[in-house]
Amino acid sequence: MPAKPHRVGATYRVQVRPGFDLDATAGLAGYLADLGVTHLYSAPLLAAAPGSAHGYDVVDHRQVNPEIGGEAARQRLLRALRDAGLGLVVDIVPNHAGVAVPAANPAWWDVLRRGRDSAYAPWFDIDWERGRLLLPVLAEGPDALDDLKLADGELRYHEHRFPIADGTGDGSPREVHDRQHYELVSWRRGDAELTYRRFFAVSSLAGLRVEDPEVFAATHELIVAWAAAGEVDGIRVDHPDGLRDPAGYLARLRAAAPDAWLIVEKILEYGEELPAWPVDGTTGYDALAAVGGLFVDGDAEADFTALDTRLTGRATSWADLTHDTKLAAATRLLSAELTRLAALAPDVDPDAARAALAELAAAFAVYRGYPPDGARHLANARAEAGRRRTDLTGALDAVTRRLRDPDDELARRFPQFTGAVMAKGVEDTAYYRWSRFVALNEVGGSPVHFGTLPGRFHRFAAARHERWPASMTTLSTHDTKRGEDVRARLAVLAELPHRWAEQVTRWTAAVPLPDAALAHLLWQTAVGAWPVERKRLHAYAEKAAREASASTSWTDPDPAFERAMHVLVDAMYDDPGVNAELAAFAAEITPPGWSNSLGQKLVQLAMPGVPDTYQGTELWDNSLVDPDNRRPVDFGVRRELLARLDAGWRPAVDDTGAAKLLVVSRTLRLRRDHPELFGDYQPVMVHGPAARHAVAFDRGGAIAVATRLPLRLAAAGGWRDTALQLPVNEVSCLFTGRVYSGGRVQLAEVLASYPVALLAPTGRSREAAS
């Protein structure tokens, strides 16, 4: 009999990878149980491209990745988890497969060898009508094919290996190449001419056609078997927006794994609702935006807009910026996909069809439309595109009519395109160009909505409790643009906008950079993560600048600009005056940043949903964007600090981060051991002169209290006579052990030791704190 599924109460994300394999992960089981989670949440486990640091480039769906230990190590992990009373949540990648190393992917290798006749040809979304399968691996120049070689029955290009179709191996390397089902082309031709659907603009990730039942069965056989055997309790679905039919796919997955906790990496725009899919919710970016916004002072918006305008010398419209970056993504990075779409509208002039489809995608307000709201989003996009391009009225009308027909092939493919355009144009470009206040530039966020008032948060949380009570909540993932504690410290800038304006103006004058927006991004990054190792900040600066594609780019780096950029970063360390000011300013905003960190962590862990803790973030974490946020985690330090907490130590809020570990462990343990205290959601009233500085809610017995805007609270004289109205007779705080009678309780007393409190009925709070 299969094991009974564990109820997923809280997860801990581990980036299982070569260098931290399944056996190393198994060694965490006892610590994670002590921390209070119910489930390990792993990165993808199936065989990935050789050396893959993330696992999202699956090459063989039939086996566990041998580089992380293979099936035997998976069994050892399961035993370790069972012994610790934990379950497993796995990450799966239905949209694409890794093809960077063809020999590692048996299905792709067979397609290259046999072409359309391959049994695996239906697996991949290939447009064979346009000719041979183009592979963008060659260097630039007309003589690149001169480096082709024949060896061991294969075609070789430097380190790249390719199969040779039967009966085509005679002659020179060029002659053999010209007989194949594939054509090797310059790497620069990938964005414009590829004949297979990719993940975004990543040519080494080829789209899979999981809408085909046979492809679904073959690529999900192991995952479904694990779920049926009770070895997996939850499944996280990567990038469902890339699929041809996400609703159909999820219905099939739900039928195949009916008891699994099923969550999707669906990024919702501000105010957007998750479609009524047969899932338990999202991976939590909507919660991240709402929680993070609670700790941002919305009154500072005008000041930061004025600062951005002064620094850059122009007023920047978010709507215009994102339109332009999305249009560039549609017409350049995703040009091959746009060409394929335009070919599906042969009744429209090809250039006009391309332009109309690109404009519609640039004007689309969400990642992709789903019934019933898809029609509304399409209508709004048509209106906006028509406003911007009156010359395209005829083409826009023609393609829009087609897009309204759900049975039209163009209508089926266009949503896959809009999601990629949004991701590449906004997340990966605009977020690096619009540096007004980068704490808000986060996946699933809305940089134009400056902060979240407590009332709006309460409405969000109550609706979540009612509609999606098992949806994930998170503050950090492997895809976030900066770590949660970096964002929390940057939120402090909104409490001192004039101080920040003076400081950053002095720095940008002392170490000028031609791209003022990027300079502002880098100075914010530095104060948010300081002290940060020089090598890490240089790597971040290079990635940020190339993603922004304003002054340099991945495809055409500008050496002179990048030298100036690295000079700026070096000045942060080597210029005595700049370094001293930077360190002093970071030190000044660090304590209120810690307050924000503890506040947002408690809110995220205690609010409705299934809370996830990303690896290492139970202590302070100053990670930047991937790959920085995949750095090794020192679990030995965390075990030692947790043991000290369990021995009765109550730490100060300082640079050890132990106070955050206290908040994480006590909140997770209370949720695990007393789920009956988390079955409701009601705001808790705060009264008094500093009421705006507190957010409090009752989950049905467990009451969370957090401090907002700590600098302004201190400047106004502290809590004074601000009080909390408790609905129960006697509670105690899990962080301090102090007991409070019901009724009106002074916040100055409740928050005397920490800027947060978690209150529960006395007996159960003592039990969870031990």
Side-chain angles (χ1 to χ4, degrees):
M1 289 290 291
K4 184 179 179 180
H6 291 68
R7 183 188 72 86
V8 182
T11 59
Y12 188 98
R13 169 72 175 199
V14 175
Q15 292 297 113
V16 185
R17 64 189 187 281
F20 198 90
D21 59 13
L22 289 167
D23 286 314
T25 304
L28 299 179
Y31 167 71
L32 298 183
D34 290 343
L35 190 64
V37 302
T38 63
H39 283 71
L40 167 72
Y41 163 32
S42 80
L45 299 183
L46 300 183
S52 174
H54 49 76
Y56 290 94
D57 43 4
V58 175
V59 296
D60 191 345
H61 295 83
R62 302 168 301 178
Q63 62 172 321
V64 178
N65 191 351
E67 292 192 343
I68 60 174
E71 173 61 17
R74 187 184 73 90
Q75 291 294 336
R76 291 192 292 271
L77 171 65
L78 290 174
R79 287 195 293 271
L81 293 176
R82 289 194 190 107
D83 289 346
L86 300 177
L88 179 63
V89 174
V90 296
D91 200 341
I92 66 170
V93 191
N95 176 68
H96 51 268
V99 297
V101 184
N105 188 324
W108 187 251
W109 185 265
D110 198 71
V111 171
L112 297 185
R113 182 184 174 204
R114 303 179 189 275
R116 289 192 189 198
D117 294 333
S118 168
Y120 298 101
W123 281 38
F124 301 97
D125 198 352
I126 301 169
D127 185 4
W128 292 104
E129 299 305 317
R130 290 171 57 195
R132 292 198 287 168
L133 181 57
L134 301 186
L135 303 180
V137 299
L138 299 181
E140 287 188 90
D143 300 325
L145 285 173
D146 291 345
D147 291 333
L148 284 175
K149 293 181 173 57
L150 294 170
D152 299 326
E154 296 174 353
L155 197 60
R156 303 283 176 86
Y157 178 73
H158 299 296
E159 74 275 16
H160 301 285
R161 299 167 49 203
F162 303 96
I164 295 175
D166 294 345
T168 65
D170 294 333
S172 70
R174 271 189 183 248
E175 291 170 335
V176 171
H177 167 264
D178 290 344
R179 300 187 192 111
Q180 302 312 306
H181 299 286
Y182 56 85
E183 178 184 355
L184 306 184
V185 298
S186 164
W187 65 272
R188 283 191 178 273
R189 291 176 62 184
D191 293 339
E193 301 180 38
L194 284 199
T195 51
Y196 61 91
R197 180 173 63 84
R198 306 168 289 172
F199 170 69
F200 296 161
V202 183
S203 299
S204 60
L205 297 174
L208 289 170
R209 297 186 61 250
V210 291
E211 66 272 11
D212 184 323
E214 293 184 5
V215 179
F216 176 93
T219 56
H220 288 67
E221 181 179 2
L222 270 186
I223 301 298
V224 170
W226 295 347
E231 297 173 344
V232 162
D233 299 315
I235 298 172
R236 182 258 195 196
V237 178
D238 182 69
H239 189 48
D241 278 346
L243 303 176
R244 181 182 176 93
D245 178 17
Y249 165 80
L250 292 168
R252 184 174 285 121
L253 181 59
R254 172 55 79 200
D259 297 322
W261 178 61
L262 189 57
I263 56 167
V264 289
E265 189 204 20
K266 170 59 185 166
I267 299 169
L268 301 169
E269 288 297 283
Y270 187 83
E272 184 185 4
E273 294 286 338
L274 181 66
W277 291 335
V279 301
D280 293 290
T282 73
T283 51
Y285 287 114
D286 47 347
L288 185 158
V291 174
L294 263 178
F295 300 88
V296 173
D297 189 349
D299 292 344
E301 180 174 13
D303 292 315
F304 275 87
T305 300
L307 173 62
D308 180 69
T309 301
R310 180 164 57 79
L311 290 176
T312 62
R314 63 185 184 276
T316 302
S317 159
W318 175 249
D320 288 342
L321 171 63
T322 54
H323 168 270
D324 292 348
T325 55
K326 289 168 70 177
L327 188 64
T331 56
R332 297 175 193 169
L333 291 175
L334 301 166
S335 179
E337 287 75 9
L338 180 60
T339 296
R340 189 171 182 181
L341 285 177
L344 294 173
D347 53 326
V348 182
D349 174 79
D351 291 338
R354 279 179 58 90
L357 289 165
E359 281 291 343
L360 286 170
F364 223 79
V366 295
Y367 278 72
R368 62 181 283 176
Y370 293 99
D373 292 331
R376 173 172 59 86
H377 293 309
L378 177 59
N380 291 340
R382 167 63 185 89
E384 176 62 13
R387 184 185 71 82
R388 291 180 180 272
R389 291 292 304 272
T390 56
D391 59 312
L392 288 176
T393 298
L396 286 168
D397 286 342
V399 298
T400 301
R401 279 195 298 271
R402 299 276 306 278
L403 296 176
R404 291 193 184 109
D405 181 357
D407 296 324
D408 193 300
E409 182 68 8
L410 180 62
R412 289 174 172 171
R413 288 189 176 276
F414 184 68
Q416 294 176 292
F417 183 64
T418 62
V421 167
M422 178 73 85
K424 295 306 298 179
V426 179
E427 282 181 46
D428 292 346
T429 307
Y431 277 179
Y432 291 98
R433 287 192 191 178
W434 207 53
S435 53
R436 179 180 72 161
F437 182 69
V438 300
L440 300 175
N441 293 15
E442 195 48 85
V443 182
S446 178
V448 292
H449 292 92
F450 210 98
T452 305
L453 292 173
R456 180 174 180 85
F457 174 79
H458 289 312
R459 291 191 295 274
F460 170 84
R464 187 183 185 84
H465 173 68
E466 181 69 25
R467 299 172 195 164
W468 299 100
S471 190
M472 180 179 274
T473 69
T474 190
L475 291 179
S476 296
T477 76
H478 57 280
D479 285 328
T480 42
K481 299 301 182 185
R482 50 195 57 80
E484 61 195 58
D485 298 320
V486 176
R487 292 195 306 272
R489 192 193 294 178
L490 287 173
V492 178
L493 300 182
E495 296 193 70
L496 34 77
H498 301 298
R499 280 281 318 285
W500 173 246
E502 293 170 0
Q503 189 68 74
V504 76
T505 298
R506 186 157 58 249
W507 287 335
T508 54
V511 194
L513 188 69
D515 186 335
L518 181 69
H520 195 199
L521 169 68
L522 296 180
W523 288 112
Q524 288 177 80
T525 301
V527 300
W530 201 264
V532 56
E533 294 89 338
R534 185 192 304 242
K535 182 178 180 181
R536 291 174 53 208
L537 195 53
H538 275 296
Y540 173 82
E542 181 175 286
K543 178 168 183 173
R546 292 183 179 182
E547 293 281 68
S549 298
S551 300
T552 186
S553 68
W554 292 110
T555 54
D556 292 296
D558 184 322
F561 175 81
E562 293 193 3
R563 279 194 298 272
M565 177 185 69
H566 289 299
V567 165
L568 186 156
V569 173
D570 280 330
M572 296 176 180
Y573 300 88
D574 298 334
D575 184 302
V578 170
N579 178 264
E581 286 189 5
L582 177 57
F585 189 90
E588 179 184 344
I589 65 172
T590 292
W594 286 336
S595 176
N596 289 340
S597 292
L598 296 179
Q600 67 178 11
K601 198 64 186 174
L602 173 62
V603 170
Q604 179 247 329
L605 295 177
M607 71 183 287
V610 175
D612 177 56
T613 301
Y614 183 72
Q615 61 175 33
T617 61
E618 63 269 38
L619 296 184
W620 306 136
D621 176 58
N622 72 341
S623 291
L624 303 173
V625 73
D626 169 69
D628 193 69
N629 56 23
R630 301 181 201 262
R631 288 171 297 131
V633 175
D634 189 337
F635 287 104
V637 167
R638 287 157 176 78
R639 285 191 181 94
E640 179 185 345
L641 290 174
L642 186 58
R644 292 180 63 191
L645 293 175
D646 290 343
W649 175 50
R650 290 298 173 263
V653 182
D654 59 19
D655 57 8
T656 65
K660 189 179 183 188
L661 183 60
L662 176 69
V663 169
V664 171
S665 61
R666 273 43 184 173
T667 309
L668 290 176
R669 289 176 184 180
L670 187 67
R671 289 195 69 137
R672 178 193 63 193
D673 299 339
H674 294 286
E676 73 277 5
L677 300 179
F678 292 85
D680 194 11
Y681 186 89
Q682 296 294 332
V684 173
M685 292 298 101
V686 179
H687 305 280
R692 73 184 292 253
H693 292 281
V695 58
F697 52 84
D698 184 348
R699 290 300 322 279
I703 299 170
V705 187
T707 302
R708 300 178 64 242
L709 316 182
L711 283 184
R712 295 202 167 180
L713 173 65
W719 292 112
R720 291 164 286 165
D721 193 35
T722 306
L724 191 71
Q725 191 67 35
L726 296 180
V728 295
N729 291 330
E730 186 176 87
V731 296
S732 58
C733 178
L734 273 76
F735 308 147
T736 64
R738 295 194 187 102
V739 178
Y740 305 95
S741 298
R744 186 179 173 90
V745 178
Q746 295 294 312
L747 277 182
E749 182 182 356
V750 174
L751 303 177
S753 297
Y754 300 111
V756 292
L758 180 61
L759 310 174
T762 304
R764 283 176 283 191
S765 63
R766 287 176 182 157
E767 187 180 314
S770 62

